[in-house]
Amino acid sequence: MIRTADLLKRPTVSLPETATIREVALELAKSRVGLAVLTAKDNPRRPVAVVSERDVLRAVADRRDLDGPAMAIANKPITVLDTDPVWVAAEKMRQHNIRHVVVVNKDGELVGVLSIRDLCFERAILLELAAAEAPTTP
Ligand code: AMP
């Protein structure tokens, strides 16, 4: 069985929850990833929110102050466990219409971020997803 933690290859973009929208945008651009995790001020391993490139795009379109807090455009993280099979990540992306899930350990600490691209480009994963008996909603 392939687990979510097995697919984590790229370094995670994480910033403290006090970061500005501009700081998040700069990190996303520099790292060429689509989701940043905002972490607790007193604990960089505890994810408190996420900001995706779409949130930044919307902030620009809405003429928000980019030096304002990223928390204002962030969402509460949808997570999977590092021990979950990959289909759980795929199912959460489908259910919530998102392209990223935050991977945490049993203590809720940040382990990484999986993107939908990580699920699409390896034959072994596609085969596993096809075979998985994930509960589906109509
Ligand atoms: P994305 O699917 O990453 O392009 O993001 C689309 C929207 O879903 C944005 O508003 C994101 O903040 C939100 N989003 C993406 N991934 C997550 C996640 N793991 N938890 C919570 N919200 C998310």
Side-chain angles (χ1 to χ4, degrees):
M1 184 205 295
I2 305 172
R3 297 180 191 276
T4 58
D6 302 331
L7 303 183
L8 296 172
K9 288 168 200 135
R10 279 175 274 111
T12 306
V13 172
S14 70
L15 298 96
E17 61 186 322
T18 49
T20 64
I21 298 172
R22 191 183 306 280
E23 285 166 341
V24 170
L26 282 171
E27 277 305 308
L28 289 177
K30 204 164 69 185
S31 323
R32 297 168 178 264
V33 299
L35 193 85
V37 181
L38 301 181
T39 56
K41 242 187 311 190
D42 54 345
N43 182 358
R45 301 200 65 176
R46 188 164 67 82
V48 295
V50 294
V51 178
S52 90
E53 54 196 350
R54 290 197 187 185
D55 300 317
V56 174
L57 190 67
R58 196 173 310 121
V60 171
D62 291 346
R63 296 173 182 271
R64 271 183 188 265
D65 175 9
L66 299 185
D67 294 310
M71 278 301 277
I73 62 164
N75 287 304
K76 189 170 168 282
I78 292 164
T79 60
V80 293
L81 281 173
D82 52 357
T83 51
D84 277 336
V86 284
W87 68 256
V88 174
E91 183 60 15
K92 287 223 171 154
M93 288 179 192
R94 190 191 67 76
Q95 265 176 8
H96 297 278
N97 197 23
I98 54 179
R99 295 180 297 177
H100 300 85
V101 287
V102 177
V103 181
V104 294
N105 65 20
K106 62 177 186 352
D107 299 320
E109 294 172 332
L110 179 62
V111 177
V113 169
L114 264 188
S115 113
I116 199 163
R117 293 171 64 193
D118 298 321
L119 304 181
C120 290
F121 291 135
E122 257 183 68
R123 188 175 145 79
I125 297 165
L126 292 174
L127 287 174
E128 180 142 334
L129 290 177
E133 286 178 35
T136 49
T137 45

